[in-house]
Each structure stands twice: as C-alpha cells, then as structure tokens.
Amino acid sequence: KHAQLAEGRRWKHAPYWICSFSNNQWDIEEELGSGDLAQSSFYLALTDPRTCATVMLLDEEAKALSRAWCLFEVLQTCLLSQRIPTFQGLLLCTPSGVLNKDDGQSGGSVSIDTAIAVAQTLKNLRLEEAAATNPADKEMIDALVERYPGKHE
C-alpha cells in the first residue's frame, strides 16, 4: 500500500530496505555496528541520502513498538525529519493501508480497530520497557537515548 501511495504508477519499482531480511544473521554483531550505532546497518540505511521515509509494518497490536531496535529506528527517523525537509518521516503501515498518510488514492483504509489499537500502544509506549534479544543492544540504545532531550520521559 505504501509503494502505491508514494510512487503512484511506478510503485512496482520502489526500492525498500527490509532490515530483517538485510542483516547478515551469521555476523549479527558486525551488522549492529560492533558497539557503534552509527555503523549499524539500521543507521546506515536510515541515513542513506536515497532514503525518503521509514516504513514500519504494524500488526493490530503494534508489537514492533515494543522492540528497542524498532524504537531506535523511530528516534533516527524523528531526527532525520528535523534535519531534512523532504524526508517523509515515519509511515505506519498495516495490512489495510498507511495509518498516518492518506491521499484518498491508496487503495485501502485502515480499520478503526487498528487505529485505536495502535493509539493505545503509543499512549503507553515506554522505551525503557522495550525489549532486545541481546541485553548489550538494549544498553547501547538506552545510552543513545539518554543523550537527547526528553530521554525516557
């Protein structure tokens, strides 16, 4: 749905970087920057000059928002949105459409149940409660967040 909304008739040619498919699962430490978030595949993909938006795929419970790495991507997206006027920001995609962007031509509308479920998750979102498979990743992400205004508030 997002590609159709963003690219119009050329939607089948829209490139996407999908982190779960793009990380080398046999060398995950290097993929995650070997302790340097600025060298992680997540950060490098988000800050690539060709990147025009961040697309987050959500289920009805918005479980992605409970993952520390996903919230790291949200933080980087917010920072990019402040620095680059043409950056489209974070687009919340569901099976029925893009939750926070609609031009009336996306071919689907997000159900009210999905919108309410995502809003509830956002209302209760707390980064310090986000999970990471590797505790060191969680510590690294939390330390990064501590450097920004608002921190864990």
Side-chain angles (χ1 to χ4, degrees):
K1 300 283 183 198
H2 172 263
Q4 290 172 326
L5 180 64
E7 300 293 329
R9 293 185 348 190
R10 294 186 36 83
W11 72 271
K12 291 182 180 180
H13 303 285
Y16 284 87
W17 182 82
I18 302 171
C19 61
S20 60
F21 300 136
S22 300
N23 287 327
N24 179 351
Q25 300 298 316
W26 289 271
D27 195 3
I28 203 71
E29 184 177 341
E30 183 178 332
E31 288 290 323
L32 300 181
S34 300
D36 180 0
L37 286 172
Q39 295 303 313
S40 69
S41 56
F42 294 94
Y43 182 83
L44 294 172
L46 284 168
T47 59
D48 185 285
R50 296 168 291 184
T51 300
C52 62
T54 302
V55 174
M56 182 174 283
L57 303 177
L58 297 176
D59 59 11
E60 290 209 4
E61 296 174 22
K63 288 182 184 177
L65 296 171
S66 68
R67 305 290 304 155
W69 276 109
C70 292
L71 294 179
F72 167 75
E73 293 171 356
V74 170
L75 170 62
Q76 295 309 312
T77 297
C78 291
L79 295 171
L80 283 169
S81 294
Q82 293 171 358
R83 286 195 323 259
I84 304 170
T86 57
F87 192 74
Q88 296 176 36
L90 179 66
L91 302 173
L92 304 172
C93 297
T94 71
S96 60
V98 181
L99 184 64
N100 57 328
K101 185 171 185 165
D102 187 18
D103 66 356
Q105 301 174 21
S106 64
S109 60
V110 178
S111 76
I112 191 71
D113 292 338
T114 299
I116 290 171
V118 170
Q120 286 294 329
T121 299
L122 290 171
K123 182 182 106 177
N124 299 317
L125 185 64
R126 298 183 55 80
L127 177 60
E128 61 269 22
E129 295 172 3
T133 304
N134 183 340
D137 292 349
K138 172 74 170 135
E139 290 173 20
M140 187 171 51
I141 293 167
D142 283 347
L144 174 74
V145 170
E146 285 295 323
R147 293 189 279 183
Y148 292 96
K151 302 177 185 167
H152 283 115
E153 298 170 4

